[in-house]
Structure formats: structure tokens, C-alpha cells
Amino acid sequence: MPPIKPSPLLARAIDICKANNVRFTAVRQQVFTLMAEHKGAITAYELLEQLQAFDSKAKPPTIYRALEFLLENHFIHRIESLNSYLMCCHLGCEHAMQLLICNKCKKVIELSDPVIDEAFSEKASQFGFKITNKVLEAHGICETCLYN
Amino acid sequence: MPPIKPSPLLARAIDICKANNVRFTAVRQQVFTLMAEHKGAITAYELLEQLQAFDSKAKPPTIYRALEFLLENHFIHRIESLNSYLMCCHLGCEHAMQLLICNKCKKVIELSDPVIDEAFSEKASQFGFKITNKVLEAHGICETCLYN
DNA sequence: CTACTATTGCTATGCTATTATATTGATTCT
DNA sequence: AGAATCAATATAATAGCATAGCAATAGTAG
């Protein structure tokens, strides 16, 4: 694997990994960088194809392991309704999350609204249900596409 | 295909289809009935296996077409985060929906809370985003499982 | 009856994700 | 440094989810 293209974002991620004492290996950094450069959602196999430009022997487990690592460390999000993945705009911190996914331009707006989050948790607690994980994804048309 | 097992739910669905002037064919009724009898989420291939007991030549497209029909007519929901399907407890009417999915017993509580729904729509509109479809799914532990 | 449309049958294939096993590489301990 | 240990990667195979395309058939309308 050739050296990874440096970037401020990557540098921050390296710091976070150092602080958390986890190994941010070459494959992981390369996948991180590919995700960071890709605006919007990307599928595992699209990512794999891109990774193979740097590492021709990369196989599905290569990419899925890297994605798993990035998810665990809160560097990326998984979009359930698209079977795809997205750079997290809060790099490395856990937080309430909602997504607005544009059907037309495919861009994704990442929200972190406590009102929506708590409304759901509150409602669940009325049923004695303890939420461990929320999937809050909306599809529609973004402002830009609406006027184009 | 043998005759479909009658049930009050099926009878209501038949009425709705008649009213909407759509064809509720034998395969569709059979899949409807299988879904109705199955409490909780079920995958397309699990359903296919069950359908094959009645219709040995059923293939994946058979089940996916039936599911598509049932989705369009609001008889079932798709659970994005599980790649599976669920009987709708409001048979035939469109409505706001949120799901509470128990990781342990796999039961699903279907909510229809306008507060959560509107909080999300409201937030989106602040970004000029027009939502066409929401995916609101929470995973966790239900009350029953919590005390067992 | 004929023409039209919706539905079904069938084959193949594509996309998404994981399992299992072997191997390599990093870290720790003595 | 050498041995033991644990984390990460390579590789092949396969499981699981979903759709495309086309031919055949059944239902509906004129």
C-alpha cells in the first residue's frame, strides 16, 4: 500500500486513534481518506473498487473490516435505508443523528437534533422500551434541487 | 395454489382492494395471510420458504412482487434496518410510523406518533428540505425482555 | 372475439455482507 | 533478542437480499 494522502481531517483522526489507543493501520487510513474525499453516501463495493486502485488485492472483507473500524470509532455512519456509508461531520464523537437524503442529487445533510431524538426516546419509554440505537433517515428533495 | 385460509383480516383486505379496484390475486392473498400469521418481522426469503409449502414453484420474484403489491396498498411495512417486512397494524391506511424493535425477542412495536413525525418534518423544513419518506426505527430491549 | 394490459413463470444475475481458515505483523514478557 | 500472545490481514467460498428481462398466461374492455 502506497503512503496515504495527508489531510487535516486525517491528522485529526490519527490523533483520536492515538488518544483512544487503537491501531489506525494503512488500510484503515486509506479507506478513511477515500470516504472523506467522497461527498455523500457511498456503498461498500464502490469503496472497494476505489481501494483497489491503491491495493489491488483488496477483497470484500478488507473493506468491511475497515468500515467496521471506522464505525466503531465514530468516523463514519451507516445509512440503513441505502446500504451505504457516510463520513461523519463530527469526527470521533458519538451523538444523536438524523439524516436528510436527497433523492435527486444524492447529497446527505447530517443533523444532530436533540428534540427529535428525545421525542423518540420519550415515546419509547412510555412503552417501557429501552432504545440502544436509533435509525432516523428521511428521503426527499433538498433545497437546491427543489429550485432546479 | 390451494384456497387461501379465510380470516377477518383477509376479508378486510379483500374489501379494501375491491374499493381501490386493484387485483388481490391468489399469490398476493397467500403472502398476505402468511405475513398476518407471522408476529414480528420476516425476511423475503423466510416468507418465500413458507410460500413454497403452498406453491412449490415460487421463486424470489414471486415473493418480491407480492411484497411490492402489499407495500403499495399499505398492508405491510418494510423495515430498512432489518431488510425485512412487517404486517401493518392499520391495514390499508397511510400514516406516520415509528418502530421499536426488540433485539432479544424480535417483536416489533408499531407507533404512529405525530410528535416525532412533525419534529422531523419541521427540522427538515428549516433546511428547505421536502421529505417524501421517513425511516424511523429504534432498536433496543422491550419491557417484557427487560425483566426476563 | 379481439386487443390490450396486468400478472405470473422462469432464468439469470447483481449487489451486499459474512464465515472460516490460514497467515502475517505488532506487542509484551522474560 | 527470542518466545508467546494477540490483533490484523489475505483469501476463498458462500450466504443473504433483490432485480432485470423476456416469454407465457389470464383478466378486462371494447
Short mmCIF file of all heavy atoms in Angstrom, two decimals, chain A residues 50-94:
data_model
loop_
_atom_site.label_atom_id
_atom_site.label_comp_id
_atom_site.label_asym_id
_atom_site.label_seq_id
_atom_site.Cartn_x
_atom_site.Cartn_y
_atom_site.Cartn_z
N GLN A 50 -12.62 1.62 -5.40
CA GLN A 50 -11.66 2.72 -5.26
C GLN A 50 -10.41 2.28 -4.52
O GLN A 50 -9.30 2.68 -4.86
CB GLN A 50 -12.30 3.90 -4.53
CG GLN A 50 -13.43 4.54 -5.31
CD GLN A 50 -13.87 5.86 -4.69
OE1 GLN A 50 -13.18 6.45 -3.86
NE2 GLN A 50 -15.05 6.32 -5.09
N LEU A 51 -10.63 1.46 -3.50
CA LEU A 51 -9.49 0.99 -2.71
C LEU A 51 -8.55 0.15 -3.55
O LEU A 51 -7.32 0.19 -3.40
CB LEU A 51 -9.98 0.18 -1.50
CG LEU A 51 -8.90 -0.39 -0.58
CD1 LEU A 51 -8.04 0.72 0.04
CD2 LEU A 51 -9.51 -1.27 0.50
N GLN A 52 -9.12 -0.60 -4.47
CA GLN A 52 -8.32 -1.49 -5.30
C GLN A 52 -7.33 -0.75 -6.20
O GLN A 52 -6.34 -1.33 -6.64
CB GLN A 52 -9.23 -2.42 -6.12
CG GLN A 52 -9.82 -3.52 -5.25
CD GLN A 52 -10.92 -4.30 -5.94
OE1 GLN A 52 -11.53 -3.82 -6.88
NE2 GLN A 52 -11.17 -5.51 -5.44
N ALA A 53 -7.57 0.55 -6.41
CA ALA A 53 -6.61 1.35 -7.15
C ALA A 53 -5.30 1.48 -6.37
O ALA A 53 -4.23 1.61 -6.94
CB ALA A 53 -7.19 2.74 -7.42
N PHE A 54 -5.40 1.40 -5.04
CA PHE A 54 -4.21 1.51 -4.19
C PHE A 54 -3.71 0.15 -3.75
O PHE A 54 -2.54 -0.04 -3.47
CB PHE A 54 -4.54 2.33 -2.94
CG PHE A 54 -4.94 3.74 -3.24
CD1 PHE A 54 -6.28 4.07 -3.43
CD2 PHE A 54 -3.98 4.74 -3.36
CE1 PHE A 54 -6.65 5.37 -3.72
CE2 PHE A 54 -4.35 6.04 -3.65
CZ PHE A 54 -5.69 6.36 -3.84
N ASP A 55 -4.64 -0.77 -3.66
CA ASP A 55 -4.32 -2.07 -3.07
C ASP A 55 -5.11 -3.11 -3.88
O ASP A 55 -6.22 -3.46 -3.55
CB ASP A 55 -4.78 -2.06 -1.61
CG ASP A 55 -4.57 -3.40 -0.95
OD1 ASP A 55 -4.04 -4.31 -1.59
OD2 ASP A 55 -4.97 -3.53 0.23
N SER A 56 -4.46 -3.58 -4.94
CA SER A 56 -5.16 -4.40 -5.93
C SER A 56 -5.67 -5.72 -5.37
O SER A 56 -6.55 -6.34 -5.93
CB SER A 56 -4.26 -4.66 -7.13
OG SER A 56 -3.12 -5.38 -6.71
N LYS A 57 -5.16 -6.14 -4.24
CA LYS A 57 -5.60 -7.43 -3.70
C LYS A 57 -6.72 -7.27 -2.67
O LYS A 57 -7.12 -8.24 -2.00
CB LYS A 57 -4.41 -8.21 -3.11
CG LYS A 57 -3.70 -7.52 -1.98
CD LYS A 57 -2.36 -8.24 -1.68
CE LYS A 57 -1.61 -7.56 -0.54
NZ LYS A 57 -1.63 -6.09 -0.57
N ALA A 58 -7.24 -6.07 -2.53
CA ALA A 58 -8.35 -5.84 -1.59
C ALA A 58 -9.58 -6.65 -1.99
O ALA A 58 -9.92 -6.75 -3.17
CB ALA A 58 -8.70 -4.36 -1.52
N LYS A 59 -10.21 -7.24 -0.99
CA LYS A 59 -11.39 -8.08 -1.20
C LYS A 59 -12.53 -7.57 -0.30
O LYS A 59 -12.26 -6.72 0.55
CB LYS A 59 -11.05 -9.52 -0.81
CG LYS A 59 -9.97 -10.16 -1.67
CD LYS A 59 -10.55 -10.67 -2.97
CE LYS A 59 -9.52 -11.39 -3.83
NZ LYS A 59 -8.19 -10.75 -3.94
N PRO A 60 -13.75 -8.06 -0.47
CA PRO A 60 -14.84 -7.54 0.39
C PRO A 60 -14.50 -7.50 1.87
O PRO A 60 -14.72 -6.46 2.51
CB PRO A 60 -16.00 -8.49 0.08
CG PRO A 60 -15.78 -8.88 -1.34
CD PRO A 60 -14.28 -8.97 -1.50
N PRO A 61 -13.93 -8.54 2.47
CA PRO A 61 -13.64 -8.43 3.91
C PRO A 61 -12.71 -7.28 4.25
O PRO A 61 -12.81 -6.70 5.33
CB PRO A 61 -12.99 -9.78 4.23
CG PRO A 61 -13.50 -10.71 3.21
CD PRO A 61 -13.62 -9.89 1.95
N THR A 62 -11.80 -6.95 3.32
CA THR A 62 -10.90 -5.82 3.55
C THR A 62 -11.72 -4.56 3.84
O THR A 62 -11.48 -3.85 4.82
CB THR A 62 -10.04 -5.56 2.29
OG1 THR A 62 -9.55 -6.79 1.78
CG2 THR A 62 -8.89 -4.63 2.59
N ILE A 63 -12.67 -4.30 2.97
CA ILE A 63 -13.43 -3.07 3.10
C ILE A 63 -14.40 -3.13 4.28
O ILE A 63 -14.57 -2.16 5.01
CB ILE A 63 -14.18 -2.76 1.77
CG1 ILE A 63 -14.38 -1.27 1.60
CG2 ILE A 63 -15.49 -3.48 1.65
CD1 ILE A 63 -13.15 -0.53 1.19
N TYR A 64 -15.01 -4.30 4.49
CA TYR A 64 -15.98 -4.39 5.59
C TYR A 64 -15.30 -4.27 6.95
O TYR A 64 -15.86 -3.71 7.88
CB TYR A 64 -16.81 -5.67 5.48
CG TYR A 64 -17.92 -5.51 4.47
CD1 TYR A 64 -17.82 -6.06 3.20
CD2 TYR A 64 -19.06 -4.77 4.77
CE1 TYR A 64 -18.83 -5.89 2.26
CE2 TYR A 64 -20.07 -4.60 3.84
CZ TYR A 64 -19.95 -5.16 2.59
OH TYR A 64 -20.95 -4.98 1.66
N ARG A 65 -14.07 -4.80 7.05
CA ARG A 65 -13.35 -4.65 8.31
C ARG A 65 -12.97 -3.20 8.56
O ARG A 65 -13.07 -2.71 9.68
CB ARG A 65 -12.09 -5.50 8.28
CG ARG A 65 -12.34 -6.96 8.49
CD ARG A 65 -10.99 -7.66 8.50
NE ARG A 65 -11.10 -9.07 8.25
CZ ARG A 65 -10.43 -9.71 7.30
NH1 ARG A 65 -9.60 -9.05 6.50
NH2 ARG A 65 -10.58 -10.99 7.15
N ALA A 66 -12.54 -2.54 7.51
CA ALA A 66 -12.17 -1.13 7.65
C ALA A 66 -13.40 -0.31 8.03
O ALA A 66 -13.34 0.54 8.93
CB ALA A 66 -11.57 -0.61 6.35
N LEU A 67 -14.53 -0.59 7.37
CA LEU A 67 -15.76 0.13 7.69
C LEU A 67 -16.17 -0.11 9.14
O LEU A 67 -16.60 0.81 9.83
CB LEU A 67 -16.89 -0.30 6.73
CG LEU A 67 -16.76 0.20 5.30
CD1 LEU A 67 -17.80 -0.47 4.40
CD2 LEU A 67 -16.91 1.72 5.23
N GLU A 68 -16.04 -1.34 9.58
CA GLU A 68 -16.39 -1.68 10.96
C GLU A 68 -15.54 -0.85 11.94
O GLU A 68 -16.06 -0.29 12.91
CB GLU A 68 -16.15 -3.17 11.19
CG GLU A 68 -16.65 -3.66 12.53
CD GLU A 68 -16.31 -5.12 12.76
OE1 GLU A 68 -15.60 -5.72 11.91
OE2 GLU A 68 -16.74 -5.67 13.79
N PHE A 69 -14.26 -0.78 11.64
CA PHE A 69 -13.36 0.01 12.48
C PHE A 69 -13.78 1.49 12.51
O PHE A 69 -13.87 2.11 13.57
CB PHE A 69 -11.92 -0.11 11.97
CG PHE A 69 -10.95 0.78 12.69
CD1 PHE A 69 -10.34 0.36 13.86
CD2 PHE A 69 -10.66 2.05 12.20
CE1 PHE A 69 -9.44 1.19 14.53
CE2 PHE A 69 -9.78 2.89 12.87
CZ PHE A 69 -9.17 2.46 14.04
N LEU A 70 -14.06 2.02 11.34
CA LEU A 70 -14.43 3.44 11.24
C LEU A 70 -15.77 3.71 11.93
O LEU A 70 -15.96 4.78 12.54
CB LEU A 70 -14.47 3.88 9.77
CG LEU A 70 -13.12 3.79 9.03
CD1 LEU A 70 -13.31 4.10 7.54
CD2 LEU A 70 -12.07 4.70 9.64
N LEU A 71 -16.67 2.75 11.86
CA LEU A 71 -17.96 2.90 12.55
C LEU A 71 -17.76 2.89 14.07
O LEU A 71 -18.27 3.75 14.77
CB LEU A 71 -18.91 1.76 12.15
CG LEU A 71 -19.56 1.86 10.78
CD1 LEU A 71 -20.21 0.54 10.38
CD2 LEU A 71 -20.58 2.99 10.73
N GLU A 72 -16.98 1.93 14.53
CA GLU A 72 -16.73 1.79 15.97
C GLU A 72 -16.10 3.06 16.54
O GLU A 72 -16.34 3.41 17.68
CB GLU A 72 -15.78 0.62 16.24
CG GLU A 72 -16.47 -0.72 16.28
CD GLU A 72 -15.47 -1.86 16.31
OE1 GLU A 72 -14.24 -1.60 16.21
OE2 GLU A 72 -15.90 -3.03 16.40
N ASN A 73 -15.28 3.69 15.75
CA ASN A 73 -14.58 4.88 16.23
C ASN A 73 -15.31 6.18 15.86
O ASN A 73 -14.74 7.26 16.00
CB ASN A 73 -13.15 4.87 15.71
CG ASN A 73 -12.33 3.80 16.42
OD1 ASN A 73 -11.83 4.02 17.51
ND2 ASN A 73 -12.24 2.62 15.82
N HIS A 74 -16.54 6.01 15.41
CA HIS A 74 -17.40 7.17 15.12
C HIS A 74 -16.81 8.11 14.08
O HIS A 74 -16.97 9.32 14.19
CB HIS A 74 -17.72 7.94 16.41
CG HIS A 74 -18.17 7.05 17.53
ND1 HIS A 74 -19.35 6.36 17.48
CD2 HIS A 74 -17.58 6.70 18.70
CE1 HIS A 74 -19.48 5.65 18.59
NE2 HIS A 74 -18.42 5.83 19.34
N PHE A 75 -16.13 7.55 13.10
CA PHE A 75 -15.61 8.37 12.00
C PHE A 75 -16.61 8.40 10.85
O PHE A 75 -16.61 9.32 10.04
CB PHE A 75 -14.28 7.80 11.49
CG PHE A 75 -13.15 7.95 12.47
CD1 PHE A 75 -12.03 7.13 12.37
CD2 PHE A 75 -13.19 8.91 13.48
CE1 PHE A 75 -10.98 7.26 13.26
CE2 PHE A 75 -12.14 9.04 14.39
CZ PHE A 75 -11.03 8.22 14.27
N ILE A 76 -17.43 7.40 10.77
CA ILE A 76 -18.43 7.33 9.70
C ILE A 76 -19.77 6.86 10.25
O ILE A 76 -19.85 6.38 11.38
CB ILE A 76 -18.00 6.36 8.57
CG1 ILE A 76 -17.89 4.93 9.10
CG2 ILE A 76 -16.67 6.78 7.97
CD1 ILE A 76 -17.67 3.88 8.02
N HIS A 77 -20.80 7.00 9.44
CA HIS A 77 -22.12 6.47 9.76
C HIS A 77 -22.53 5.47 8.69
O HIS A 77 -22.11 5.57 7.54
CB HIS A 77 -23.17 7.58 9.78
CG HIS A 77 -22.92 8.64 10.78
ND1 HIS A 77 -22.97 8.41 12.15
CD2 HIS A 77 -22.60 9.95 10.65
CE1 HIS A 77 -22.70 9.54 12.79
NE2 HIS A 77 -22.47 10.49 11.91
N ARG A 78 -23.38 4.55 9.10
CA ARG A 78 -24.00 3.67 8.13
C ARG A 78 -25.40 4.19 7.84
O ARG A 78 -26.14 4.57 8.77
CB ARG A 78 -24.09 2.24 8.67
CG ARG A 78 -24.82 1.31 7.73
CD ARG A 78 -24.79 -0.13 8.19
NE ARG A 78 -25.89 -0.86 7.59
CZ ARG A 78 -25.91 -1.32 6.34
NH1 ARG A 78 -24.85 -1.16 5.58
NH2 ARG A 78 -26.96 -1.93 5.86
N ILE A 79 -25.78 4.24 6.55
CA ILE A 79 -27.14 4.63 6.20
C ILE A 79 -27.93 3.36 5.88
O ILE A 79 -27.70 2.71 4.85
CB ILE A 79 -27.15 5.58 4.98
CG1 ILE A 79 -26.21 6.76 5.22
CG2 ILE A 79 -28.57 6.07 4.70
CD1 ILE A 79 -26.17 7.76 4.08
N GLU A 80 -28.81 2.99 6.79
CA GLU A 80 -29.53 1.71 6.67
C GLU A 80 -30.39 1.65 5.42
O GLU A 80 -30.47 0.63 4.76
CB GLU A 80 -30.40 1.47 7.91
CG GLU A 80 -29.63 1.28 9.20
CD GLU A 80 -28.80 0.01 9.22
OE1 GLU A 80 -29.07 -0.91 8.42
OE2 GLU A 80 -27.84 -0.06 10.03
N SER A 81 -31.06 2.76 5.12
CA SER A 81 -32.02 2.72 4.02
C SER A 81 -31.35 2.78 2.66
O SER A 81 -32.02 2.70 1.63
CB SER A 81 -33.03 3.86 4.17
OG SER A 81 -32.37 5.10 4.23
N LEU A 82 -30.03 2.92 2.62
CA LEU A 82 -29.31 2.93 1.34
C LEU A 82 -28.23 1.85 1.30
O LEU A 82 -27.50 1.76 0.31
CB LEU A 82 -28.64 4.29 1.10
CG LEU A 82 -29.53 5.52 0.91
CD1 LEU A 82 -28.66 6.76 0.73
CD2 LEU A 82 -30.45 5.33 -0.29
N ASN A 83 -28.10 1.08 2.35
CA ASN A 83 -26.97 0.15 2.47
C ASN A 83 -25.69 0.86 2.07
O ASN A 83 -24.92 0.36 1.25
CB ASN A 83 -27.17 -1.08 1.58
CG ASN A 83 -28.30 -1.95 2.05
OD1 ASN A 83 -28.56 -2.04 3.25
ND2 ASN A 83 -29.00 -2.56 1.13
N SER A 84 -25.48 2.02 2.66
CA SER A 84 -24.25 2.72 2.30
C SER A 84 -23.70 3.46 3.50
O SER A 84 -24.24 3.39 4.60
CB SER A 84 -24.47 3.61 1.10
OG SER A 84 -25.45 4.56 1.38
N TYR A 85 -22.60 4.17 3.26
CA TYR A 85 -21.82 4.74 4.36
C TYR A 85 -21.53 6.21 4.09
O TYR A 85 -21.50 6.65 2.94
CB TYR A 85 -20.55 3.91 4.53
CG TYR A 85 -20.86 2.46 4.78
CD1 TYR A 85 -21.11 1.59 3.73
CD2 TYR A 85 -21.00 1.97 6.08
CE1 TYR A 85 -21.46 0.26 3.95
CE2 TYR A 85 -21.34 0.65 6.31
CZ TYR A 85 -21.57 -0.20 5.24
OH TYR A 85 -21.94 -1.51 5.48
N LEU A 86 -21.29 6.94 5.16
CA LEU A 86 -21.17 8.40 5.05
C LEU A 86 -20.16 8.90 6.06
O LEU A 86 -20.14 8.47 7.21
CB LEU A 86 -22.54 9.01 5.39
CG LEU A 86 -22.65 10.52 5.42
CD1 LEU A 86 -22.60 11.07 4.00
CD2 LEU A 86 -23.96 10.93 6.11
N MET A 87 -19.31 9.82 5.64
CA MET A 87 -18.38 10.47 6.56
C MET A 87 -19.17 11.18 7.64
O MET A 87 -20.17 11.81 7.36
CB MET A 87 -17.57 11.51 5.77
CG MET A 87 -16.30 11.93 6.45
SD MET A 87 -15.14 10.55 6.47
CE MET A 87 -14.10 11.05 7.82
N CYS A 88 -18.70 11.06 8.88
CA CYS A 88 -19.36 11.76 9.99
C CYS A 88 -18.78 13.17 10.08
O CYS A 88 -17.57 13.36 10.05
CB CYS A 88 -19.13 11.03 11.30
SG CYS A 88 -19.67 11.97 12.74
N CYS A 89 -19.67 14.16 10.20
CA CYS A 89 -19.17 15.53 10.22
C CYS A 89 -18.78 15.96 11.63
O CYS A 89 -18.43 17.11 11.86
CB CYS A 89 -20.15 16.49 9.57
SG CYS A 89 -21.73 16.60 10.38
N HIS A 90 -18.86 15.04 12.59
CA HIS A 90 -18.40 15.37 13.96
C HIS A 90 -17.24 14.49 14.38
O HIS A 90 -16.98 14.31 15.56
CB HIS A 90 -19.53 15.16 14.98
CG HIS A 90 -20.72 16.00 14.74
ND1 HIS A 90 -21.76 15.59 13.93
CD2 HIS A 90 -21.06 17.23 15.21
CE1 HIS A 90 -22.69 16.53 13.91
NE2 HIS A 90 -22.29 17.53 14.67
N LEU A 91 -16.60 13.89 13.41
CA LEU A 91 -15.43 13.05 13.61
C LEU A 91 -15.13 12.58 15.04
O LEU A 91 -14.59 13.34 15.85
CB LEU A 91 -14.20 13.80 13.09
CG LEU A 91 -13.11 12.86 12.57
CD1 LEU A 91 -13.66 12.05 11.41
CD2 LEU A 91 -11.89 13.64 12.13
N GLY A 92 -15.45 11.37 15.31
CA GLY A 92 -14.97 10.76 16.55
C GLY A 92 -15.83 10.94 17.77
O GLY A 92 -15.48 10.46 18.84
N CYS A 93 -16.95 11.63 17.64
CA CYS A 93 -17.79 11.74 18.83
C CYS A 93 -19.16 11.14 18.58
O CYS A 93 -19.73 11.28 17.50
CB CYS A 93 -17.89 13.19 19.31
SG CYS A 93 -18.97 14.22 18.34
N GLU A 94 -19.66 10.47 19.58
CA GLU A 94 -20.98 9.87 19.50
C GLU A 94 -22.01 10.98 19.66
O GLU A 94 -21.83 11.89 20.45
CB GLU A 94 -21.14 8.85 20.62
CG GLU A 94 -21.53 7.48 20.13
CD GLU A 94 -21.60 6.50 21.28
OE1 GLU A 94 -20.73 6.57 22.17
OE2 GLU A 94 -22.53 5.67 21.26
#
